[in-house]
Amino acid sequence: MPPECAACTQPTIRKHNPSGKFTVVYFHSTVEYPDDWAGHPENAVWFCAEHLSLTEGLTHLTALEAIDRIRAQLPQVKA
């Protein structure tokens, strides 16, 4: 399954990633993982190339806090 941008919440926004490139951004962790833990950490979030710049200056926040701020900056598409 390909990554999904945390900022691209609506189908009309999702279409705007022509490069198909994604970057994982690590925000402030709220969980301490044991050394032998495997999986996707809660603070690692994928962003498309178009929305990656919205993460600048937010990595000190938890992923949920950062995503809320990022989504608040995006235009709202009316159904």
Side-chain angles (χ1 to χ4, degrees), residues 13-59:
I13 295 173
R14 273 189 216 133
K15 290 190 283 188
H16 295 113
N17 186 19
S19 69
K21 293 182 182 178
F22 292 86
T23 301
V24 68
V25 176
Y26 292 90
F27 295 98
H28 180 71
S29 182
T30 61
V31 176
E32 196 166 313
Y33 298 98
D35 291 338
D36 61 347
W37 184 84
H40 189 85
E42 46 78 38
N43 64 321
V45 182
W46 289 101
F47 288 90
C48 68
E50 182 178 345
H51 294 120
L52 182 61
S53 64
L54 298 176
T55 67
E56 291 178 17
L58 299 179
T59 57

